[in-house]
Amino acid sequence: MTILYLILFLLGAGLVACLAERLNVNAPRWISLLAFIAATIWTGAIWLGGVDPATGFYVVGELSWIPSLGINVILKVDGLSLVLVGLTTLLGIIAVVSSWSEISTNRGFFQFNILWVMAGVVGVFCAYDLFLFFFFWEVMLIPMYFLIAIWGHEDRSYAAMKFFLFTQVSGLLMLVAIIALVWLNYEATGVITFSYDELLNHEVSGTVASLLMLGFFIAFITKLPSVPVHTWLPDAHTQAPTAGSVILAGILLKTGGYGLIRFTVPLFEEASRDFAFVAMLLGVISILYGGYMAYSQSDFKRLVAYSSIAHMGFILVGVYAFNELGMQGAIVTMIAHGFSTAALFMMAGSLQERLHTREMSQMGGLWVKAPRMGAMTMFFVIASVGMPGLGNFIGEFLVLIGAFKVNVPLTVLATIGIVVAAVYGLSLMQRSFQGTPNPQVAAMEDFGFREISVYAIMIVALVWIGVYPQHVLDLAQPTLDALGVAL
Amino acid sequence: MPPTEHVLVLALMLFCIGAVGVLVRRNIIFILLSLEFMMNACALVFVAAGAKWGQPDGQIMYMLILAIAASEVAVALGIVIQMARRFRTLDVDAASELRE
Amino acid sequence: MTPLILFYVAGFVTLASAILAITRTNASHALIYLVVALLAIAVIFFLLGSPFAAALQIVVYAGAIVVLFLFVVMMLNLGKSSVARERELLTRGIWTLPSLLALVLFAVVLFALVSGDHEAGAQARMIEPKEVGIALYTKYVLAVELAGVLLLAALVGAYHLGRRYLADRREEEESS
Amino acid sequence: MLWLVPALPLLGSVVLLCTEGRLPKMVVAVVGSGSVGLAAICALYVGMNVVGTGEWQYTETLWTWMAVGDFNPSITLYLDGLALVMTGVITGVGFLIHLYATGYMWEEEGYSRFFAYMNLFVFAMLMLVLGDNLLTLFLGWEGVGLCSYLLIGFFHTDPANGYAARKAFVVTRVGDTLMALGLFLLFREIGTLEIQAALEGATATWPEGSGINTAICLLLLGGAVGKSAQVPLQTWLPDAMAGPTPVSALIHAATMVTAGVYLIARMQDMFLLPGPAMHWVAFVGLVTLFISAFTALVQTDIKRILAFSTMSQIGYMFLALGVGAWSAGIFHLMTHAFFKALLFLASGSVILALHHEQDIFKMGGLWNKLKIPFVSMLIGSLALAALPGTSGFFSKDAILLTAYNEASYGMLFWIGAVGAAFMTSLYTTRMILITFFGEVKTEPHDHSRINMWGPLLVLCALSIGGGWLGFMVLAPYMGDGGVAVEFHAELIALLTLGVPLLGVLIGYLIWGNHAISIDKFAASNLGERLRQFFFGGWGFDWTYDRVFVNPFVRLAQVNKSDFVDLMFTSIASLTTAIHLLVKQTQTGQLRWYATNMVVGLLVVVLIVIVQA
Amino acid sequence: MTLTDLWVSFPLIVLVGGTLVLMIGVSIVRTHKLALGLTLLTLILSVAAHDIALENITTGYELFGLLNVSGIQVFFNVLFLLGAIVTALFAYPYFNERMERCEEFYILLLTATAGAMVVAAATHFASFILGLEILSISLYAMIAYPRESHQPLEAAAKYLVLSAVASSAILMGVALVYAASGTMAFAELNISPESGERSYFLLGQALICVGIAFKLSLVPFHMWTPDVYQGAPAVVTGYVATVSKGAVIALLINYVQATEVLSYTGVFYAVVFVAVASMIVGNLLALLQTNLKRLLAYSSIAHLGYLLIAVLVVNTARPELVLETVLLYVAAYFIITLAAFGIVNLTSEHATEDNEQMEAYTGLFWRNPLLASVLTAVALALAGIPLTVGFIAKFYVFAAGVEGTAWALVWALLIGSAIGVFYYLRLIYTMVKQVEPGAAALPQVGTQSVVAVTVLGLLIVVLGVYPTPMIDMIRTIVQASGF
């Protein structure tokens, strides 16, 4: 039940933070920060607690919910979930700190939303009941919508709407697929159940399987996102407040990748294998198109947003390579991208806070004024370009080496994406921090201790994953073994 | 006894005439009057059907229609009086504030 | 044969007066045509072997409901101006579409009616008022009660809508 | 112990990065150059030990990098003769250049940042050469690329530098991508990225040669070509001269650009398997050698002359590898590191003395004003031109002879190489004569201190004596039995000896005493065209700009707002349009509503009747 | 008439009796509070009387061949009564300030509820038509209740005329069906395929469908809806949207199950057409709507289209699932709609006109977080987003659609929902927008209405998160009713 308590704890902290604003305007952010720190420690404790040999999971919790429909609260944490939950709580801390001084209105409600998004995401990562999964899947949307719609930038209404519509509509497709799956299982076994484990045993095949698989697939690639359903992301990211972008890029996108690994592939293995080529192709297109679009942008955040699309393409390629290397690569990419892109979004936020613009034409030569910011940006650009020794490289390399075994032409195209990454990554650096200092930019405050320490966390994380990714790999390995599809 | 089908045709013609009245007239009094024709057409069918099956139900339905028509007219005329007072006309087109 | 001829005559009268009624510009004239149509229908009821319905049609419909109409028309004092206005509004164009629609509707319905071959009404017979009365107070007793509720609702509604309140009176005084 | 060698520069780099700008310059200088110096000592110590054991191989596994199924590369350091030579060059020459840079960069902004990058570079380069598996090598490979990028763009406020840096990074990354593909292929076929295991596996699997082996080799060659600035990925190197001169010396002359040579030498067993791979290597080298020699002849920027000469010299190395003269290639790599570093550092001193003037036609008559640079430059040039007795002579000689002996295209290679040798001495003479002789055009101010001229002198010594060092000391320990030069044919040997001298002579006649006038030719239409063609590096940049860069940039401008989104926005617009349309039906008119009801009724009735 | 008859019809008797008492009471002492008290008392007693009724029925009980009372009817009846109670509670503060005479309203409310109960239980056309008319007649008067204002009058006139046309259609349909089959009891309605009268039997069914579609405001018989919703006082709109629709839905599900009318392909496709059109057009109409009442009107069009899916799969899915879906959806829809109009109502209590423009709710989140939260819950519930009971309802509809393999309808539901999300979110966005300086202040709201709205809002969320009690109850009812 621990994980349910963790979710409830985050929800509760959200309520407290919301109400605490009346006592003190600064209280919410402290509550939120402490809550996330506690949650991180909590997650760490689960990790240290080790796998329960009886169940093969770190934590298992079951609770009756809607028994008449075979719906129960089933929350289980295996290695994969644990890694992602850890990422979530850690990025929670980072999100709170990154928005420390940015938010000046309705701080309580702001922290409320952050905590609730995170609670939803933790639920998504741990749910072993399809209904529950869908429930959390949608629950995390609403606070995210608020984050964008209330504290976003100039075009927030449009962006928030777009974000919500895309996820919601694709989610409905998944809902239909879930119900159809349950129904097929019911017809075959006479039992109505939404339990993941039981549905896993039910083999669906043929056209029906392909259609149901598509239902899940579309929902997940929309979240991921992959071309051609990616267009919500640049808008949402660009308009969201910093914390929103951090959460979006860092965690919300990962739910798509997680869903593919946890649900689409195991539930419809055969259909997925048949579909692998198309999926990989979409991934490759995302990599190249995302990179190309990133280069086209003049808005700092938009550029990073498109780069996210490119990175997420690797996940698609990796998952549908259908081997351990690819899957592990996808997982490492999820984690590493969580840090590298979140950091770049935070940078965009910091710049916006200082310059009141995200347009790179208004920047240039900022390194002279804020060398620490420059160095940090450089680091994360380099990381996201896929420099060996940093997390993203491990993920992308594993994905590619795995994919190469399966499909050479697509892998070659995907590898070209690495060159494109260099093109847009360095162009970002050049246009913002290097080059002739823009005379319109007056003095700019450099990073202080608070910012540096947050970035330090992410740097350490990226280097750690880049140099010794084994922790992540070992955690995810049993999951992949259990899924039995990666071999 | 006239064949049921003939009565039905007559009733439907009456119904259609009533419908045309509703669609064409703008004076609410005329609209209500047209509605009476439609109601009567229904009544005619009921009575004819009752006769056809040799059951009293048709006539009972007729009586119910009577009650319905009476109630509708009563309330409708109440509204007409108020409309005449508030809008100073019985033209329903004048009362089209509610629209997109 | 006679009843059948009578039926056609009555039917013709009904339709003719109905058409006349909905085309009049003067409300009182229209109401008179309505009465004519209702009476013709009463004749048909009679021919259909439903004397009770025929009687009610004359007494309640023509006698009560139309009178209610007439009261209101007179009360609202729809004078010459209103007739002129009606004439103005009833251009030829306005009739085309609804009439066409009604014609199509009629054609479709007629098609539906005649497409099947119909059994002759084997059970057709005259239904005495007594029989109706018995059915009304046995099988349909609940319906009668409900009709009571219906009339009650109408009563209250019409009362509320029709009556003059203090505010109305004040308003009228001001305007006069 | 071996791990200390890369770890020390890394530590230096991290320290400098974390304390950026807060340490006094003196401390920075000590940390920056000291870490490399210590690494050099460590390398020497480890090297001695390794040599002492006689095993010539030493492996040090640090940890398993990642383990996924059967893919489990580890971070392992591997030292053998080849690696030892490279390590020596990197730490040794690297230390000298660092030392020089402490003086050269003294006045510049970002002193600490500079050394942080430089140390990081040394670390990455060491990982490259010490890596026991291709993934670790790739780590270093990309790392040096990064540092190269960082250092080319070190003076980041000038957009031109940024452009050059990005160009360098992206172009080399094209090569890296090919190399990565090579790794994928190798892993798929052999199942490992451990270099030794892979080589054994390859030789065992494809003793008869195979298309896949060739493919892997060519992909690796692609990587090498990118990193070593060979045709067709050579265009970045001249622009890379935008970086501070010590950077050019260290990265773009002595070490990084030779990584390609190292890679091919490292993987020689696979290249040696039957197949056309070797010829490709040789041809790449030959073409580059030739093209860049011509280009160097018409350059006016002193550093660009050196850059093209670097490309040309690496071409020699590739040629050497391609003809199987592994040791000669590596030998040339080493000597080249000495004399080219010397040339760059010396030119750096000149440039610094002339307030960052790099155009040789604005220099002149400096020989007696900047004595140490002049002498250094002269010695370096002699070695570059491979005049007998210099280190360059020994290494280049070995290459030429092996090339001549190559079975299939030997004659072609030899003629090309000799011709290029002639060109080399020609442009070297031109550079020296124009820079240091003639009338004084700019007045120099010499700021050199011991930390700057000290390294110069050491490198001078190495440039002259390095050949002997290699010849005597290293050669026996190199993989293929040393650089035993046999003078097959007297004529060949004579030509090899004589051609550089001829070059110097003709050069003197043209630019020294103006006995031969080329002004007329230069002024002619054809001459001008040729000059421009050579000057622009044989039109490679021009072509790439038109074929790749411009279309991409234009494409990027066209589709800034993502045409895929049109699909969704048009759905939205369509929905809105329909909304506005259906909204019109809500007119508020009772008759209209009733009409619609009747129409609806008609529709329903029709459906029912038609379906009945 | 047996004693059991009496007990089973007891709730109705209490209700009608209460109406009479109220009428007499009002004629003696005209006090608003007393009228409200009597109304509430009657309604509560009637709710309580259902307990007695329930004891006397097993799976279902036929009353005079006109009404059939089973657990399902009881469920609907209780819903109607609760809806009426909420309406009465909201009506008090709403009318108290703006009307001279408020007492008649409660009488009409009671008769309307009685009509709804009759409709829901009808098993015979006579009771169906009568119930429907009792309901409609009361509604005409309720809509026009503030007779001094233009809008309610206009709304009432439109509703009256169009509703009368629809009633005529139903009557004609019933008459034709009767003429074809010789019976008006649902259970006996049947026609053999060979029968010559089949064509006008079907014609009659089509006309009945049209009438029902009108009452449920389904496309293309929906046009009155926005105007009436907008014109009627918010309290009445809430009532129209819930009780009157709920009654017709109860009748509909009753009807399709008793007569298997949907097994006639023509009728089936006609209803499919209406359902799909409602889902799509309803949502499209609402897209950029700025008037909250109109928005809810359009949204109700779409929602009833969704609900029709459950009705349409009556022959292909398990009957218990269909019934569960319908019951759950109606219950959810009641709560949500009442909450929605409750908010409109209580922000309009002290205003001269209904506070119905969306702009009026700008920044509600910052001005009145409680109300805003409830309205957000309402919007999310209408959009069918989890955490709200609306999601559970939509989930059921999806389940029914999938189980009935009605893929076209599921697609329409998907598209409709997608469009729907847009405008519900716009509503939410309006509430979170920052208030422009100088914007009109939000009218003060009374506490008791706030409590009522909050309770409804809580219900939306609590039942959305933990719907088990409701689902179990509905399942028990459905099973007890013989499915």
Side-chain angles (χ1 to χ4, degrees), chain E residues 341-375:
Chain E
F341 285 104
I343 287 174
V344 176
N345 190 47
L346 69 86
T347 53
S348 318
E349 272 170 18
H350 300 274
T352 42
E353 290 208 334
D354 279 2
N355 195 11
E356 58 192 30
Q357 291 298 326
M358 254 159 77
E359 296 153 33
Y361 295 87
T362 309
L364 190 65
F365 243 100
W366 321 123
R367 301 200 269 183
N368 190 338
L370 183 66
L371 277 192
S373 304
V374 175
L375 196 49

Side-chain angles (χ1 to χ4, degrees), chain B residues 1-10 12-21 23-30 32-37 39-41 43-45 47-48 50-57 59-82 84-86 88-91 94, chain C residues 4 7-8 11 14-15 18-19 21-27 30-31 34 37-38 41 44-45 47-50 52-53 56-57 60-61 65 68-69 72-73 75-76 78 85-86 89-90 94-95 98-99 101-102 105-106 109-110 113 118 121 123-127 131-132 135-136 139-140 143 147 150-151 154 158 161-164 168 171-172:
Chain B
M1 205 176 281
T4 317
E5 277 67 41
H6 292 208
V7 184
L8 289 187
V9 171
L10 173 67
L12 285 169
M13 286 170 85
L14 195 58
F15 191 84
C16 290
I17 292 172
V20 172
L23 299 193
V24 170
R25 302 307 298 246
R26 289 169 64 171
N27 187 319
I28 188 149
I29 296 275
F30 283 89
L32 293 173
L33 190 141
S34 306
L35 280 171
E36 292 306 321
F37 283 116
M39 290 278 198
N40 250 281
L44 197 51
V45 178
V47 173
K52 174 188 166 190
W53 296 106
Q55 292 169 347
D57 304 50
Q59 289 188 54
I60 288 173
M61 286 306 288
Y62 168 72
M63 286 160 69
L64 296 183
I65 289 179
L66 216 53
I68 291 167
S71 329
E72 242 168 32
V73 166
V75 175
L77 290 176
I79 293 173
V80 168
I81 292 171
Q82 289 301 334
R85 190 174 284 165
R86 310 293 164 199
R88 312 236 165 250
T89 172
L90 290 179
D91 183 357
Chain C
L4 207 57
F7 166 72
Y8 291 126
T14 312
L15 292 178
I19 292 173
I22 62 163
T23 50
R24 289 312 86 189
T25 49
N26 188 316
L31 284 170
L34 174 63
L38 294 177
I41 292 173
I44 297 172
F45 285 170
L47 292 173
L48 285 168
S50 311
F52 188 57
L56 281 181
Q57 174 86 350
V60 180
Y61 232 124
I65 298 180
L68 196 60
F69 265 106
V72 173
V73 169
M75 193 178 105
L76 295 177
L78 301 169
R85 188 173 152 70
E86 285 296 319
L89 292 176
L90 291 176
I94 208 167
W95 287 93
S99 312
L101 264 178
L105 180 66
F106 179 70
V109 171
L110 196 65
L113 278 180
H118 306 288
Q123 301 111 316
R125 63 185 177 93
M126 168 148 169
I127 294 144
E131 208 180 324
V132 177
L136 197 60
K139 192 178 164 194
Y140 288 101
L150 172 66
L151 291 170
L161 291 171
R163 70 168 288 192
R164 281 187 210 173
D168 296 326
E171 197 178 296
E172 274 159 30

Side-chain angles (χ1 to χ4, degrees), chain A residues 22 64-69 71 105-106 109 116 131 134-136 138-139 141-142 145-146 149-151 154 156-157 160-161 164-165 168-169 172-173 175-176 178-181 183 186 192 194 212, chain E residues 318 324 365-366 369 376 380 383-387 391-392 394-396 398-399 402-403 405 407 410-411 413-414 417-419 421-423 425-426 428-429 432 434 464-468 471-472 475:
Chain A
R22 300 197 175 188
S64 173
W65 189 15
I66 313 177
S68 50
L69 294 178
I71 295 168
T105 51
N106 311 110
F109 192 52
W116 277 52
F131 186 89
F134 184 79
F135 189 82
F136 281 126
E138 299 265 302
V139 161
L141 291 189
I142 305 157
Y145 172 82
F146 280 134
I150 300 177
W151 295 276
E154 59 284 349
R156 56 183 178 274
S157 160
M161 180 71 77
F164 201 99
L165 271 179
Q168 169 70 18
V169 173
L172 283 178
L173 286 176
L175 179 64
V176 173
I178 289 176
I179 292 172
L181 182 65
W183 167 240
Y186 169 71
I192 294 187
F194 282 80
L212 296 187
Chain E
R318 285 171 295 146
E324 267 179 63
F365 243 100
W366 321 123
T376 306
L380 292 176
I385 311 275
L387 273 184
F391 167 67
I392 306 291
K394 192 173 265 180
F395 173 77
Y396 259 97
F398 268 118
V402 169
E403 189 170 320
T405 58
W407 296 114
V410 172
W411 272 112
L413 172 56
L414 264 171
S417 303
I419 305 170
V421 169
F422 177 78
Y423 57 84
L425 279 188
R426 267 186 56 236
I428 296 180
Y429 182 69
V432 300
Q434 290 300 333
V465 175
Y466 192 61
T468 307
I471 289 175
D472 284 349
R475 180 159 289 190

Side-chain angles (χ1 to χ4, degrees), chain A residues 464-479:
Chain A
W464 185 286
I465 299 171
V467 172
Y468 193 69
Q470 206 58 38
H471 286 136
V472 176
L473 299 175
D474 284 347
L475 276 171
Q477 189 61 43
T479 309

